[in-house]
Amino acid sequence: MADNIMVIDARGSFCPGPLMELIRAIKSAEIGQVIAVLSNDSGSKKDIPLWAGKAGQEFIGVEAHGEYDEITVRKVR
Amino acid sequence: MKRLVIVGAGTGGLMVANFVARDLSREIAHGEISVTLLGDKDEYIYQPGFLYVAFDLMRPAQLIRPIRELLAPGIEFVHDRAVRIDPEGKVVERAGGEALRYDYLVLATGSGLNLQEVPGLSEGAHWFYTLEGALQLRDELRRFAGGRVVLTVGVPHKCPVAPLEFTMMFDEWARVRGIREQTELVYTYPLGRAHSIPSVAEWAQPELEHRGVRVETFFNMESVEPDQKVVHSLEGTDIAYDLLVAIPPHRGDELGALSGLAEAGNWYPTDRNRLNLNGRDDVFVLGDATNLPISKAGSVAHFEAEVLADNLVGLLAEGSPPAYLYSGRAFCFIETGLERATFISFDYLNPPKVPQPTNAVHWFKQTYNRIHWANLKAVM
Ligand SMILES: Cc1cc2nc3c(=O)[nH]c(=O)nc-3n(C[C@H](O)[C@H](O)[C@H](O)COP(=O)(O)OP(=O)(O)OC[C@H]3O[C@@H](n4cnc5c(N)ncnc54)[C@H](O)[C@@H]3O)c2cc1C
């Protein structure tokens, strides 16, 4: 399972930014794919679940790693 | 002889070739080093000009120059397409001739539109992201007498400030023509705010509101119905339009996928500081073609080209390992209408601030549009 997770390192990404990186990845991923976004933008842990909810994707959770957060989403549609 | 091959004669490829060829002109003249630039077009087109072409503010001829006029002495330009890279054999196969052997390879193949990703987009929308598209939009704007104009934004896309620029320029353009009252302007954005950069979004929201622009956030284009003139979002919102101007989603050139080197979307997995293709120390990537989480912009290609060229000069001339690191530096002008502009400057560690727009910055951008060639030739 763990090696099926697609990791996007969006640390230091002001533009396009972590959520935009996630949207890009989700569009080309298979349904069922789990995607973990690494972000040091404190807004991401709010933005990403909010978007996932709007777009009908499954928000799995946030894990804090000190300097950055790991935010995980599953593509379900 | 050490051979450098660069694929893609756009902003990044030309700059790397010119920087290296100027630094190593003696070694090239003595036949110790060769620099080969492979490009599928023999003309360079200045893409930022498309925005101005759409509004009849620049002519296409001002944006185009033959590649051969832009090359420093000593560069061999090959007008052909790369069709496969063999990183083990260190060769680039091309469509119309003998494969090119390299010691070091630079991939600068840019990004292009992925219109198929959004059903109905190519029939229903206009865009200013290609010269043909900009000319068609220009013709449409010449006829435009009012109605609802909707701007939509695909992901990913190059030049992330262009959606804001188009909207603010359109607003003033419509006022000047006396048709703003008959025009409703709708700006949509894929995220929950008006721009991906928080400080830019914070600045842009009131700027748009005060121009009477309706802002619709969390709008990721899913499909377009050209007959009904409606655009649908992934999030379930439908917007009817009279004129749809889209920033289409982008993808990288198929070369990466054909060579088994690229990830989804044909982007090359690239080291964010050293700019080498992950896992290879003899292949480098710059510009739009990388998978890096930074803006796909000419300025990024430029700053990356400087770093890469310094490292390549060391590698080619002395075999010294790459010492220069790319910091994520980016710079973008933002036109805020027809007379004023601002700019943002940032890197991996420092987010941008948006200064007050001024007429001077607008003229600086206008000047840059006309002297970009000197920058490409690496003489600036
Ligand atoms: C409307 C618009 C406005 C913009 N405004 C700005 C702006 O204001 N500021 C800014 O910084 N940037 C701006 N940009 C973005 C900027 O133009 C690009 O980011 C920049 O050109 C990227 O450089 P590049 O070298 O990666 O790719 P490109 O310059 O696109 O060059 C890639 C080249 O590689 C060639 N190629 C591709 N595949 C192959 C192959 N297999 N074999 C041979 N050749 C190949 C292509 O034909 C092309 O010539 C704008 C872009 C657009 C469309």
Side-chain angles (χ1 to χ4, degrees):
Chain A
M1 182 62 210
D3 35 54
N4 282 338
I5 296 180
M6 182 194 288
V7 178
I8 303 168
D9 187 352
R11 285 175 290 180
S13 177
F14 295 113
C15 186
L19 176 51
M20 206 78 108
E21 290 297 327
L22 172 67
I23 295 173
R24 164 166 88 86
I26 271 205
K27 290 207 298 182
S28 53
E30 303 277 323
I31 288 184
Q33 176 72 51
V34 175
I35 303 174
V37 183
L38 313 186
S39 171
N40 54 353
D41 169 356
S42 60
S44 295
K45 55 181 182 286
K46 280 198 299 253
D47 291 353
I48 291 179
L50 193 62
W51 177 77
K54 288 239 174 208
Q57 306 296 354
E58 183 190 332
F59 167 62
I60 298 177
V62 182
E63 205 176 314
H65 293 272
E67 301 259 289
Y68 67 95
D69 295 319
E70 180 175 342
I71 304 143
T72 314
V73 170
R74 182 183 285 116
K75 174 166 174 157
V76 291
R77 59 171 290 240
Chain B
M1 181 166 76
K2 288 255 180 280
R3 282 167 293 215
L4 172 64
V5 173
I6 299 161
V7 183
T11 312
L14 270 167
M15 284 185 184
V16 171
N18 283 330
F19 279 127
V20 172
R22 286 193 201 282
D23 269 27
L24 298 179
S25 56
R26 278 195 31 211
E27 290 82 348
I28 293 173
H30 293 160
E32 293 155 18
I33 286 170
S34 70
V35 177
T36 305
L37 179 63
L38 177 65
D40 60 357
K41 300 193 183 75
D42 59 0
E43 286 180 330
Y44 175 91
I45 308 189
Y46 176 60
Q47 301 169 41
F50 300 162
L51 180 61
Y52 302 89
V53 167
F55 289 108
D56 264 322
L57 298 168
M58 281 184 97
R59 286 169 291 105
Q62 293 174 286
L63 312 182
I64 303 173
R65 295 260 174 115
I67 300 275
R68 288 183 198 283
E69 286 181 12
L70 300 170
L71 299 174
I75 299 171
E76 188 199 0
F77 176 63
V78 178
H79 179 201
D80 200 355
R81 239 191 105 67
V83 292
R84 206 178 76 91
I85 299 156
D86 171 5
E88 303 305 327
K90 292 178 152 268
V91 289
V92 177
E93 292 168 15
R94 57 195 183 97
E98 222 174 287
L100 300 171
R101 312 196 71 81
Y102 65 80
D103 293 289
Y104 296 99
L105 176 65
V106 173
L107 301 171
T109 46
S111 62
L113 305 187
N114 185 6
L115 294 166
Q116 297 88 304
E117 191 189 287
V118 181
L121 186 65
S122 53
E123 302 81 23
H126 280 277
W127 53 86
F128 55 92
Y129 265 61
T130 58
L131 184 54
E132 308 77 63
L135 288 169
Q136 283 178 20
L137 178 56
R138 179 198 69 182
D139 294 345
E140 190 67 28
L141 291 184
R142 285 179 180 176
R143 289 190 292 268
F144 185 80
R148 184 187 287 157
V149 181
V150 178
L151 181 109
T152 56
V153 179
V155 179
H157 58 269
K158 56 185 151 192
C159 195
V161 294
L164 281 172
E165 294 185 283
F166 180 84
T167 306
M168 294 184 182
M169 287 171 76
F170 189 96
D171 169 70
E172 192 165 346
W173 173 88
R175 286 176 203 278
V176 170
R177 305 192 104 208
I179 53 169
R180 185 63 182 93
E181 305 235 305
Q182 298 92 286
T183 304
E184 188 191 351
L185 198 46
V186 184
Y187 172 89
T188 73
Y189 204 70
L191 310 185
R193 52 179 181 254
H195 195 264
S196 63
I197 305 175
S199 59
V200 175
E202 229 165 84
W203 163 78
Q205 181 75 34
E207 289 281 327
L208 293 169
E209 277 166 14
H210 122 107
R211 288 170 173 78
V213 177
R214 184 175 127 203
V215 179
E216 183 78 39
T217 55
F218 280 131
F219 192 97
N220 281 281
M221 249 187 308
E222 189 163 58
S223 62
V224 178
E225 283 184 80
D227 300 334
Q228 311 299 320
K229 295 199 154 197
V230 178
V231 53
H232 304 286
S233 82
L234 196 78
E235 293 83 4
T237 315
D238 305 331
I239 306 179
Y241 62 82
D242 295 300
L243 173 62
L244 177 62
V245 180
I247 315 294
H250 283 57
R251 65 175 164 205
D253 184 78
E254 64 179 7
L255 173 65
L258 295 175
S259 312
L261 297 175
E263 57 178 40
N266 294 341
W267 311 113
Y268 291 101
T270 306
D271 184 273
R272 58 165 62 204
N273 298 122
R274 285 174 214 284
L275 303 174
N276 56 294
L277 182 69
N278 282 345
R280 300 260 154 205
D281 52 20
D282 53 357
V283 183
F284 300 89
V285 195
L286 83 161
D288 294 355
T290 76
N291 73 336
L292 294 176
I294 49 175
S295 304
K296 296 195 184 300
S299 66
V300 166
H302 176 174
F303 297 133
E304 289 172 336
E306 290 180 342
V307 170
L308 209 50
D310 285 340
N311 285 332
L312 286 164
V313 165
L315 281 165
L316 289 162
E318 297 145 21
S320 53
Y324 296 88
L325 299 180
Y326 174 62
S327 63
R329 187 164 169 216
F331 177 95
C332 301
F333 285 105
I334 309 176
E335 294 278 20
T336 60
L338 303 179
E339 302 285 342
R340 281 168 191 276
T342 181
F343 63 89
I344 48 173
S345 173
F346 53 103
D347 59 31
Y348 289 139
L349 298 177
N350 303 290
K353 292 188 192 75
V354 187
Q356 192 65 27
T358 63
N359 186 244
V361 176
H362 166 73
W363 283 108
F364 194 63
K365 169 74 187 215
Q366 294 300 307
T367 307
Y368 183 76
N369 286 340
R370 285 153 182 90
I371 58 165
H372 171 66
W373 314 106
N375 212 3
L376 275 182
K377 290 191 217 170
V379 292
M380 223 159 85

